[in-house]
Amino acid sequence: MTATLIWILVALLAIGLYLSWTAGRLDRLHARIDAARAALDAQLLRRASVAQEVATSGILDPAASIVLYEAAHAARQAEEEQREVAESELSQALRAVFADPRQVEVVREAPGGDEAARELPGAVRRVPMARRFHNDAVGAARRLREHRKVRWFRLAGHAPFPMAFEMDDEPPAALADRAA
């Protein structure tokens, strides 16, 4: 009788340790999501700021400046539920303005444009990487949260279900070539 009780206690202890380890893993994944989202937000803000700076510099023609400025401003001011759409529209505006590789040369040759021509490709290139890191962390947390043990024992607590950040982040070909 005593041996059976000891084995039951050992099994319960092992199950408790496993559940505790799983809850800790889930907590680390949520912390990773928070860090990746902060990095994504920083890269999106940087891209919008550089695009806005290029648009207001007087380097581009007036129509391109207006399109780029409005898209960058909308991306910076967007509420959370409209952010993906606004960022996608900024990507589309960047592709429209820099569809022609000669436009990058025009920016580079303008006074003060050399720095913008260096910053913009880097900012544009970092957004897809930051989004990929964020969405990978979200995917890992979602897969873990779908396990029965996590749902049955409510190991996620009251943490909201992680959502991926879906947007059009394809860079303009002229800027992607410069970023490589």
Side-chain angles (χ1 to χ4, degrees), residues 96-120:
V97 170
F98 293 102
D100 185 7
R102 291 182 303 229
Q103 186 70 19
V104 178
E105 293 306 318
V106 168
V107 170
R108 182 177 298 284
E109 291 168 3
D114 195 40
E115 184 179 339
R118 278 194 315 267
E119 279 188 50
L120 191 57

Side-chain angles (χ1 to χ4, degrees), residues 61-82:
D61 63 90
S65 291
I66 290 171
V67 167
L68 192 57
Y69 179 82
E70 286 181 356
H73 182 72
R76 289 183 72 173
Q77 301 299 319
E79 297 292 326
E80 191 61 35
E81 51 276 349
Q82 295 299 318

Side-chain angles (χ1 to χ4, degrees), residues 147-169:
H147 289 172
R148 274 185 239 132
K149 66 179 176 261
V150 173
R151 289 191 320 258
W152 288 351
F153 292 102
R154 301 176 198 272
L155 298 180
H158 297 290
F161 196 74
M163 300 302 290
F165 193 86
E166 297 300 333
M167 65 172 269
D168 173 8
D169 60 4

Side-chain angles (χ1 to χ4, degrees), residues 33-46:
I33 289 170
D34 291 342
R37 181 56 190 241
L40 175 60
D41 287 341
Q43 293 306 324
L44 291 171
L45 181 63
R46 181 170 184 254

